[in-house]
Amino acid sequence: MTYREASHAGSWYTDSGSELNRQLSKWLDDADLTFGPARAIIAPHAGYRYCGACGAWAYRQISPAVVKRVFILGPSHHVRLSRCALSAAQYCRTPLYDLKVDQEINAELEATGHFKWMDQKTDEDEHSIEMHLPYVAKVMEDFRDQFTIVPIMVGSISNDWEETYGKILAPYLADPQNLFVISSDFCHWGARFRYTYYEDSHGPIYKWIEVLDKMGMDLIETLKPESFGEYLRKYNNTICGRHPIGVLLQSVEELKRRGYRMSFKFLKYDQSNQCCDKKDSSVSYASGSLIFE
């Protein structure tokens, strides 16, 4: 058996199963179910003390009884990757219980010729997928032996490749037994992120960041990939999961052509810090849900 260790447990989130269970339960209890059952969610991947409560709003929309498979698409923060890559692990550990990786779906995706494989170090160094594993485990706990996961690391891919991957994944998104988790934080603002764009007509910096993020969120809600792409080109907003989001939007586009009707709504927005000064920095978080009508 090959295991992906919970390499960020004990630092980005607690490695105590009982404490983690309590935290996740509280955050989920505090969130409202208003836009479900989710077929895809966008949720953040920072340390839980920053974004755990925000992420719960996306996970609250999931109806676990119908889910048999969870695709988790996260950006690559550490390795240069021009395609998408699959996890070679058979199980991913969490402090709650181990999650089984779907070998059958991995084989189907590999057969397209468009997916690479992550080595174990690349897999365990990356936090964008791992930060969702405890939440998936928690939401699915009553069905822990009845579902599998499909972790996919999304590289810095072009719009054409977003479209290619979107078309490959569209049939999986169309299946009501599948859930897609799209891992993304929103604006990374400050000198340490090399992004300090600011329009002072909107008031303090943190207000401007919110305006900037909400513009992007509104465009994601239209489910039009080209509109979101134009926004990114215009503002260069440092949305780290822009490529996983792009892949989801392209999958939705493909399904719209096939006659499916879907809608997306953001339910929660937060910032790690309120920037008032050029020396400040913050990361934004947003959680939303896609439903089929």
Side-chain angles (χ1 to χ4, degrees):
M1 292 290 179
T2 52
Y3 289 87
R4 184 207 181 279
E5 296 298 333
S7 50
H8 293 73
S11 51
W12 290 55
Y13 57 101
T14 178
D15 54 6
S16 158
S18 56
E19 190 182 336
L20 184 60
N21 191 44
R22 271 198 308 277
Q23 280 179 348
L24 296 175
S25 295
K26 182 184 186 314
W27 289 329
L28 287 163
D29 287 346
D30 289 348
D32 296 330
L33 170 54
T34 57
F35 206 73
R39 292 279 280 277
I41 61 171
I42 294 175
H45 56 233
Y48 281 178
R49 67 195 181 100
Y50 298 110
C51 72
C54 179
W57 284 77
Y59 279 94
R60 184 74 180 82
Q61 314 312 312
I62 294 166
S63 179
V66 299
V67 175
K68 295 284 182 276
R69 209 176 281 114
V70 184
F71 290 74
I72 308 167
L73 278 65
S76 173
H77 287 85
H78 305 296
V79 297
R80 294 187 76 81
L81 182 65
S82 59
R83 297 289 181 268
C84 289
L86 304 168
S87 175
Q90 290 167 295
Y91 290 89
C92 292
R93 292 198 191 277
T94 81
L96 301 177
Y97 58 91
D98 298 341
L99 304 178
K100 186 178 183 181
V101 177
D102 197 311
Q103 304 303 323
E104 199 177 316
I105 298 297
N106 271 358
E108 287 175 17
L109 295 176
E110 185 188 25
T112 66
H114 294 317
F115 288 82
K116 299 178 182 297
W117 292 93
M118 297 180 249
D119 60 45
Q120 187 156 357
K121 182 179 189 318
T122 299
D123 201 344
E124 290 180 351
D125 283 351
E126 181 54 61
H127 64 275
S128 72
I129 294 171
E130 179 181 339
M131 297 307 293
H132 289 280
L133 300 178
Y135 253 122
V136 169
K138 175 61 185 168
V139 169
M140 296 298 296
E141 64 186 347
D142 292 342
F143 307 92
R144 64 168 66 187
D145 299 319
Q146 296 167 41
F147 78 100
T148 54
I149 63 169
V150 185
I152 301 174
M153 187 190 281
V154 181
S156 298
I157 54 178
S158 66
N159 288 357
D160 287 349
W161 276 106
E162 285 178 7
E163 190 176 341
T164 298
Y165 286 114
K167 285 178 175 169
I168 290 170
L169 294 172
Y172 298 103
L173 180 60
D175 182 342
Q177 294 189 322
N178 291 335
L179 169 74
F180 275 70
V181 173
I182 306 299
S183 175
S184 184
D185 295 338
F186 275 69
C187 184
H188 297 58
W189 197 94
R192 70 193 183 100
F193 301 118
R194 298 193 292 281
Y195 187 77
T196 52
Y197 183 65
Y198 171 43
E199 292 183 6
D200 57 10
S201 57
H202 294 282
I205 295 169
Y206 69 89
K207 281 288 186 198
W208 157 246
I209 294 170
E210 182 170 349
V211 167
L212 177 67
D213 280 328
K214 292 280 171 76
M215 272 192 273
M217 291 157 66
D218 288 348
L219 290 168
I220 292 167
E221 287 185 351
T222 70
L223 296 175
K224 292 178 180 163
E226 66 284 351
S227 302
F228 183 56
E230 283 166 21
Y231 159 84
L232 290 171
R233 282 189 290 278
K234 181 175 179 183
Y235 292 103
N236 288 312
N237 190 3
T238 42
I239 299 171
C240 58
R242 58 192 174 277
H243 297 298
I245 293 169
V247 171
L248 175 69
L249 293 176
Q250 291 289 357
S251 280
V252 167
E253 189 85 341
E254 177 63 22
L255 293 182
K256 283 196 292 197
R257 283 195 283 270
R258 301 182 193 183
Y260 289 89
R261 292 165 57 94
M262 294 149 280
S263 50
F264 189 94
K265 190 176 180 189
F266 278 103
L267 305 163
K268 193 70 175 168
Y269 176 78
D270 210 351
Q271 295 175 356
S272 64
N273 181 38
Q274 290 198 337
C275 294
C276 297
D277 186 280
K278 286 279 178 149
K279 294 194 290 288
D280 293 339
S281 65
S282 75
V283 179
S284 309
Y285 313 115
S287 284
S289 169
L290 176 86
I291 60 170
F292 278 55
E293 291 167 3

